Amino acid sequence: MAAIRGDAEEHALLMRAADLARARLVRSEGDLERLFTQLGHDDDRAVLTRLRQIYEAGGWVLVESAIADLPADLRWLYESDAVTLAELAAIHAATGATSAADLAAAVVEHRIAAIADAGPDVEDRIRAALPNLRALVPRIALGRAAALAEPFLTALRGMPQVAWAEPTGSLRRGEDMIGDVEILAPSADPAAVLDAVLRLPHSSRALYRSERRVYVLSERAQVAVRVPEPSRAGAPQLYLTGSIGHIDALRAHAQTRGMTLGPSGLVAADGTALAASIEDEIYGALDLPCIPVEIRQGDGEVAAAARGELPRLVARGDIRGDLHMHSTYSDGRDTIETMVEASRALGYEYIAITDHSQRSAAAHNLTVDDVRRQADEIAGLRERYANIAILHGCEVDILPDGRLDFVDQVLSRFDVVLASLHDAAGHGPDQLLKRYSAAMNHPLVTVITHPSNRMVPHRRGYDIDYDRLFDIAVQTATIVEVDGAPGHLDLDGALARRAVAAGATLVINSDCHRAELLDRQMAFGITMARRGWVEPRHVVNTRPLDALRAAIAAKRGR
């Protein structure tokens, strides 16, 4: 609002204008005229007279523009009718709050109730609004959120003034849909860091800046950077990462040890506050290992950590190869050789080239003649790239009647066969499961890919009996995929956890169509698996090539 502030009277009138606009009382000069005749109070008449002057001078556009540029959570709190603009300004001035997490912290610590200009019941109104506040905020898919954050993280990590830089919230936890993109970058020189952020080419416009915080517009989305004091950065790192359920479980665990955990950090029974530079120090003070961010869901992870029973989750260093990628033979952008070179640079021991079968809905597909040509090309590449095994594979469609898109004579030529549903064909859950079952019972099918066939964020996954699907996978020795393509992220964490509980073997793949994205999409797949408490022993492509070939041969031997 700073750009449109004049004297105190003008400021008060603008805030009144914004409140009337939010209440849908004033959207045009005609609305002003109607209100002028309907309202009888002299004060309101005076306000409306002045509002007409502001409107005629173009100030109305400035009011709504300033509201639109507020940090997203403050804007949505205002739109929820929980506070007036004057109350919001008073809260921000007193607490520095710019996000839902800040507001929640202020409510927990009863700092809002002490603000004279906020009104006696405003804390209660904010407390009531917070549970639904994030539901009002448009969420963005993990893939886009990560792409937005990446250039900021790269730049911040390269600044000598910055101790470290990490995303917070749902982005750090790897959720499918992200509420906001916020980065924590501790530094003793916040002004220099924030100046540098504003100079980045991805910062198209500054929306807000304070001593240790900035909000910028980047590719039409809001990106926030916080710069806490390095010696006390552990508390915001933990609290802003969340989730709410995880923090609540940690708070209860702290109470059993006579300590109090709040937004500002950990406080001992004698009132001594722990100054933690990283969150690991807070976990350590609670006699806990640092719990992986992907499983901080308040779903038993704190109790498991206290018992010493946290799993060793699968990590990037465990992955030996990628068994799902596409080339120019179907809908990939790059040649097989380009994909091989990129995979070798990632340190993979093996990969599989798995283009789409002939009747897939992809832009271009493998024909039977293409299979022969592709096999010859791969044979030649094997001679030139002896230090990485190149498997010739295929992603074959499961047709509406349960048959596969290539006949067995063609499928038998491949080293590995992935089977997919891309078209529901109008089928309900039972028929979809029958199609999956038919494919999994086929001895040449090694992997079922992206089983829910969801498209994040546009299409929900199939509503099928996944526990039954996983049981069939176990019975038929079929591997189930965790697909890292940002449009799939499938299995998601919840389904991956159910799959390993059923005894299914997983494979984490990139499903990549561009060589430059092989690493990023594998990372997304690993994130989904980690959210499902998946360990390396559950994942076939953490195993050496001989063990992978043995798993394929075992299925074919059935």
Side-chain angles (χ1 to χ4, degrees):
M1 299 291 289
I4 62 172
R5 286 177 183 165
D7 56 27
E9 179 186 4
E10 191 87 341
H11 184 204
L13 285 168
L14 287 170
M15 290 192 291
R16 174 70 169 140
D19 289 332
L20 288 169
R22 180 190 60 187
R24 308 299 191 264
L25 294 175
V26 179
R27 284 299 184 189
S28 68
E29 189 172 5
D31 291 338
L32 282 172
E33 293 288 352
R34 282 189 290 275
L35 275 175
F36 187 86
T37 59
Q38 291 170 6
L39 297 177
H41 299 295
D42 290 341
D43 288 345
D44 284 328
R45 286 178 177 272
V47 168
L48 291 171
T49 300
R50 188 69 182 97
L51 286 180
R52 182 188 289 113
Q53 296 170 355
I54 294 170
Y55 180 88
E56 290 171 351
W60 198 261
V61 175
L62 295 176
V63 171
E64 294 206 341
S65 175
I67 293 169
D69 282 351
L70 287 172
D73 286 350
L74 297 189
R75 182 172 74 249
W76 286 105
L77 180 67
Y78 173 70
E79 291 284 353
S80 75
D81 288 337
V83 294
T84 66
L85 202 60
E87 289 168 339
L88 191 62
I91 292 165
H92 170 67
T95 68
T98 56
S99 70
D102 297 333
L103 292 164
V107 167
V108 167
E109 296 171 348
H110 299 295
R111 284 183 277 142
I112 293 175
I115 301 171
D117 296 334
D121 65 338
V122 70
E123 186 167 285
D124 292 336
R125 283 188 266 130
I126 293 175
R127 182 183 291 106
L130 280 173
N132 298 317
L133 183 65
R134 301 302 298 170
L136 295 172
V137 179
R139 301 179 77 82
I140 58 177
L142 174 61
R144 180 165 186 251
L148 284 168
E150 186 175 16
F152 290 92
L153 286 166
T154 300
L156 288 163
R157 288 166 178 166
M159 295 179 191
Q161 306 97 326
V162 173
W164 48 265
E166 290 289 345
T168 66
S170 50
L171 175 55
R172 189 177 182 217
R173 299 196 309 273
E175 293 194 4
D176 308 344
M177 299 296 294
I178 307 305
D180 42 32
V181 179
E182 185 167 34
I183 296 168
L184 209 63
S187 176
D189 189 0
V193 174
L194 297 183
D195 286 344
V197 169
L198 291 175
R199 289 194 299 267
L200 293 176
H202 292 83
S203 299
S204 58
R205 183 157 62 94
L207 300 176
Y208 168 89
R209 178 174 177 172
S210 66
E211 182 182 356
R212 288 189 174 271
R213 198 173 306 182
V214 68
Y215 286 77
V216 299
L217 200 63
S218 179
E219 298 181 22
R220 303 183 306 280
Q222 176 181 282
V223 176
V225 178
R226 297 187 188 224
V227 188
E229 172 61 40
S231 65
R232 306 193 68 85
Q237 183 185 22
L238 175 63
Y239 184 77
L240 293 173
T241 296
S243 66
I244 293 173
H246 179 71
I247 298 299
D248 286 345
L250 274 182
R251 184 178 293 117
H253 180 80
Q255 288 172 350
T256 66
R257 281 154 174 73
M259 293 183 276
T260 302
L261 179 64
S264 301
L266 193 63
V267 178
D270 62 2
T272 303
L274 172 69
S277 60
I278 55 174
E279 63 186 5
D280 303 51
E281 296 170 25
I282 298 176
Y283 284 106
L286 293 171
D287 299 318
L288 295 173
C290 188
I291 297 175
V293 293
E294 298 89 349
I295 62 172
R296 296 183 192 177
Q297 299 299 317
D299 192 20
E301 71 278 2
V302 173
R307 297 191 303 268
E309 296 176 0
L310 279 180
R312 186 183 84 75
L313 302 181
V314 64
R316 185 66 182 80
D318 297 315
I319 301 298
R320 294 173 178 262
D322 187 343
L323 301 181
H324 187 174
M325 64 182 71
H326 300 271
S327 74
T328 51
Y329 277 86
S330 63
D331 57 349
R333 188 194 68 177
D334 295 315
T335 64
I336 296 176
E337 184 168 11
T338 301
M339 301 301 278
V340 170
E341 288 178 341
S343 298
R344 186 176 65 167
L346 293 174
Y348 289 150
E349 299 173 24
Y350 50 82
I351 62 168
I353 302 296
T354 54
D355 283 302
H356 289 285
S357 60
Q358 55 193 347
R359 279 175 280 192
S360 169
H364 181 60
N365 306 303
L366 281 174
T367 65
V368 174
D369 287 341
D370 288 335
V371 173
R372 297 189 186 95
R373 289 194 304 109
Q374 191 177 58
D376 291 341
E377 182 175 341
I378 288 174
L381 290 171
R382 284 170 178 159
E383 294 180 2
R384 294 169 51 198
Y385 295 91
N387 57 348
I388 183 171
I390 309 168
L391 304 185
H392 187 199
C394 174
E395 183 181 3
V396 61
D397 267 37
I398 306 170
L399 302 177
D401 62 1
R403 291 182 300 115
L404 301 176
D405 195 16
F406 279 134
V407 297
D408 289 3
Q409 185 179 3
V410 175
L411 292 176
S412 64
R413 302 176 192 171
F414 294 108
D415 299 308
V416 60
V417 174
L418 286 55
S420 305
L421 278 180
H422 288 112
D423 179 11
H427 289 158
D430 291 344
Q431 189 60 34
L432 290 170
L433 189 58
K434 287 181 180 178
R435 289 167 67 184
Y436 271 133
S437 179
M440 288 190 286
N441 276 284
H442 195 296
L444 294 175
V445 171
T446 302
V447 178
I448 291 293
T449 67
H450 47 74
S452 81
N453 196 28
R454 67 174 182 165
M455 288 298 293
V456 179
H458 307 293
R459 185 179 70 213
R460 294 183 59 190
Y462 297 141
D463 183 20
I464 63 176
D465 185 345
Y466 289 99
D467 293 322
R468 179 63 186 142
L469 183 146
F470 300 144
D471 285 341
I472 297 170
V474 173
Q475 294 165 12
T476 60
T478 304
I479 299 164
V480 181
E481 182 186 60
V482 177
D483 187 311
H488 281 306
L489 303 178
D490 178 14
L491 303 170
D492 64 15
L495 285 177
R497 193 171 184 181
R498 287 163 62 181
V500 296
T505 298
L506 303 182
V507 60
I508 303 172
N509 289 325
S510 70
D511 188 4
C512 205
H513 294 66
R514 297 167 62 179
E516 67 193 52
L517 297 178
L518 279 165
D519 192 36
R520 175 185 289 182
Q521 293 188 197
M522 177 60 77
F524 287 150
I526 293 167
T527 295
M528 292 301 107
R530 287 172 65 87
R531 285 175 61 81
W533 297 55
V534 174
E535 302 175 50
R537 62 190 176 92
H538 300 134
V539 181
V540 73
N541 54 325
T542 64
R543 304 172 190 173
L545 177 62
D546 288 348
L548 171 67
R549 291 190 183 279
I552 297 171
K555 173 66 186 288
R556 294 190 172 195
R558 295 172 68 94

